[in-house]
């Protein structure tokens, strides 16, 4: 079975670990969000791709869900001694090596997709990890600071400001001009099932869908497209998805997110047990819906969710 | 008193520490060798400038004479996990931060002299540290490997091969086209004394002198130019200077090195006590010479050497 998964960071990575356990023989292609990539200290950092790679490759810091295990912070503390910022982004020494290799390869002319493949040669994530695009896309968030409206990089909004101010708009800068990375459209066209993990519908999956051609390819693939709600009981399971949902005029409910994707894209939708009341609302929107436990407390829980998603896909197909 | 010092790495840095102790009120400008700079992992590494900066700024690894104290090697070990080399150059985590800041600033368009000044703002070396040039100069060494003649970067010869094969030639590639960095010629013209520490006469001081204009400015400065022999008892005090001296046809003796610089450049020359017999030979070549202890066993010993050099300069002046 060929499965294509659109993934953001922590939620996507943990779901993928469950999916690998649930479908060990599946051929999984992950289309990773690169809209939250950022240049720090002259280095290209791809937080979502790395979170997927480290999580599936056994190098993730399990506690925090991102970054490397057994991490140290000598480089960061030295950069601070030089007065070189930003200091709000937590790059560890082990993590720095990844960004150094990536930046060196990009500088040598390799596209991000080739670089990601090279990095994965070490990590052996057990999936094919593709960036959504080799072109630069950078998610900016419009906010108001001291009465003045300005746009900040998504990471600045998310990590530095911890989404503490309202977002007026979320703009994937460069997405309109971006092309899907080599293999992305081919993987979608060849997929048997397409899954949207409980990743952020705006800044993760929404950004991937903003690359011209990807949304269309998914809609036209003619295979079940099943998503899992990142909203449980009217609040995001993790992160601050409600802030960016508000910016695009979508309520923070499992139903509203399903409607946001829409029946033109989504065939099936899993909501958590506490949102069982959403099932008829979602089905009314033309999307098959089921309520199951959606808390990824461990790999087994994530695997159970993946099995439910695949089962719903088969229901839709039939 | 304005002192200009031409410096390589460890020998130059330790001498400078002694000079600062010997002449605490002097205004010292250091013209640093950049011929052994190297690009590693996409980062610009300036070993000699950093050795001077770390040594005078209190951050040096005293044991080895280069690199940072309390150093760790997480980034390096991760790069090895990625199979990215070279593995023979010992970059530590703390050291990496310096190269990251430097590379970022160079990428932003700052010349190396401005970058060096910015790095020194943290280290406060107590001297004005100038790279010999903002232009790229790279010392290559011609060697024969398995019957085939080839040129390798100086660091590859020095660090990877440990000068274990004969050098046929030493070429400061790019030197002919290089211009002295801003402030270099001005510092030489304004100097009261110019010193050549016991640095490598070929790949350190020789490379600095190979930048058009620097040798001429020193010769025409009209102030005492005093050097200290890096050769004691027919062997280099540290490093493998004999290997590169042979490549330029110079014997590894205190006398031969003085003659190599020549009386057109050098006014005074200090040799070690064990080389007292060299004194008349050097003086015959028109260079004032004195035998004094030249082993930099500690800061006091280096300070005593600096005092001797300054005293010889006054003798020459009178």
């Amino acid at each position: 079975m060929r499965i294509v998964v659109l993934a953001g960071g922590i939620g996507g990575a943990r779901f993928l670990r469950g999916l690998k356990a649930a479908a060990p023989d599946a051929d999984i292609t992950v289309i990773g969000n690169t809209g939250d990539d950022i240049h720090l200290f002259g280095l290209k950092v791809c937080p979502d791709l790395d979170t997927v790679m480290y999580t599936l490759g056994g190098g993730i810091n399990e506690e925090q869900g991102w970054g490397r295990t057994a991490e140290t912070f000598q480089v960061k503390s030295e950069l601070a001694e030089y007065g070189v910022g930003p200091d709000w982004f937590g790059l560890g020494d082990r993590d720095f090596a990844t960004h150094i290799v990536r930046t060196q390869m990009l500088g040598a002319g390799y596209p991000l997709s080739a670089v990601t493949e090279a990095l994965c040669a070490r990590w052996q994530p057990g999936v094919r990890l593709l960036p959504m695009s080799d072109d630069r896309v950078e998610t900016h968030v419009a906010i108001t600071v001291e009465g003045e409206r300005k746009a900040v990089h998504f990471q600045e909004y998310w990590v530095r400001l911890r989404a503490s101010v309202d977002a007026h708009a979320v703009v994937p800068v460069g997405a309109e001009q971006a092309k899907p990375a080599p293999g992305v459209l081919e993987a979608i066209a060849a997929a048997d099932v397409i899954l949207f993990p409980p990743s952020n519908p705006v800044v993760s999956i929404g950004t991937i869908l903003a690359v011209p051609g990807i949304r269309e390819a998914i809609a036209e693939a003619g295979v079940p497209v099943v998503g899992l709600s990142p909203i449980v009981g009217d609040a995001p399971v993790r992160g601050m998805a409600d802030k960016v949902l508000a910016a695009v005029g979508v309520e923070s409910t499992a139903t509203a997110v399903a409607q946001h994707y829409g029946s033109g894209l989504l065939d099936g939708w899993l909501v958590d047990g506490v949102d069982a009341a959403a099932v008829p609302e979602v089905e009314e929107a033309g999307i098959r819906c089921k309520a199951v436990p959606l808390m990824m407390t461990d790999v087994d829980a994530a695997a159970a969710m993946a099995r439910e998603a695949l089962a719903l896909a088969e229901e839709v197909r039939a």
Side-chain angles (χ1 to χ4, degrees), chain A:
Chain A
M1 183 164 55
R2 285 162 299 196
I3 307 175
V4 166
V5 182
L6 272 50
I10 303 176
R14 289 186 173 167
F15 175 76
L16 281 162
R17 195 157 54 176
L19 179 62
K20 277 176 62 186
D25 299 326
D27 172 351
I28 303 171
T29 297
V30 179
I31 301 171
N33 171 41
T34 58
D36 61 352
D37 291 2
I38 185 167
H39 284 80
L40 293 168
F41 313 110
L43 300 173
K44 171 83 162 178
V45 180
C46 301
D48 281 1
L49 294 179
D50 288 350
T51 295
V52 170
M53 187 171 77
Y54 293 159
T55 301
L56 300 186
I60 199 78
N61 178 321
E62 289 288 344
E63 294 272 301
Q64 66 189 17
W66 54 270
R68 294 289 311 280
T69 188
E71 189 56 288
T72 55
F73 293 87
Q74 294 262 70
V75 175
K76 183 182 160 85
S77 92
E78 284 294 316
L79 291 170
E81 291 287 338
Y82 279 115
V84 171
D87 61 358
W88 45 263
F89 202 89
L91 292 179
D93 298 328
R94 291 178 184 272
D95 201 21
F96 256 112
T98 301
H99 313 314
I100 288 170
V101 174
R102 176 185 291 122
T103 305
Q104 186 178 15
M105 285 191 72
L106 290 170
Y110 293 94
L112 183 61
S113 49
V115 174
T116 304
E117 191 180 344
L119 294 173
C120 285
R122 169 186 175 191
W123 288 104
Q124 297 289 326
V127 300
R128 182 164 178 231
L129 177 60
L130 302 175
M132 65 189 198
S133 177
D134 280 336
D135 302 319
R136 184 168 173 175
V137 178
E138 205 167 88
T139 303
H140 287 194
V141 180
I143 57 174
T144 300
V145 178
E146 292 170 6
E148 212 172 320
R149 192 153 171 152
K150 61 180 209 166
V152 296
H153 189 287
F154 169 70
Q155 296 294 356
E156 188 171 351
Y157 180 72
W158 208 247
V159 180
R160 185 170 82 81
L161 299 174
R162 300 190 172 281
S164 57
V165 295
D166 288 342
H168 307 304
V170 177
V171 184
V173 178
E176 278 178 36
Q177 290 76 42
K179 284 189 297 292
V184 165
L185 297 183
E186 294 79 351
I188 293 170
D192 298 308
V193 177
I194 298 169
L195 301 178
F196 295 180
S199 289
N200 190 306
V202 182
V203 295
S204 296
I205 295 180
T207 307
I208 300 171
L209 294 173
V211 176
I214 294 185
R215 174 188 287 273
E216 297 74 4
I218 293 171
E220 292 161 15
V223 297
V225 179
V226 172
L228 298 92
S229 177
I231 306 288
V232 169
D234 301 350
V237 174
R238 82 159 29 246
M240 303 149 286
D242 48 330
K243 290 291 189 164
V244 287
L245 279 166
V248 298
V250 176
E251 264 187 279
S252 280
T253 65
T255 305
V257 174
Q259 289 166 336
H260 173 63
Y261 285 132
S263 61
L265 193 66
L266 212 57
D267 302 304
W269 187 241
L270 291 178
V271 300
D272 188 76
V274 304
D275 295 311
V279 173
E281 294 169 16
V282 174
E283 298 221 314
E284 207 164 290
I287 299 164
R288 182 77 63 101
C289 187
K290 211 172 152 187
V292 300
L294 286 192
M295 303 303 279
M296 289 191 284
T297 44
D298 54 24
V299 178
D300 286 346
M305 285 164 57
R307 268 187 294 269
E308 293 287 0
L310 293 174
L312 186 58
E314 292 317 307
E315 257 184 71
V316 166
R317 196 192 309 276

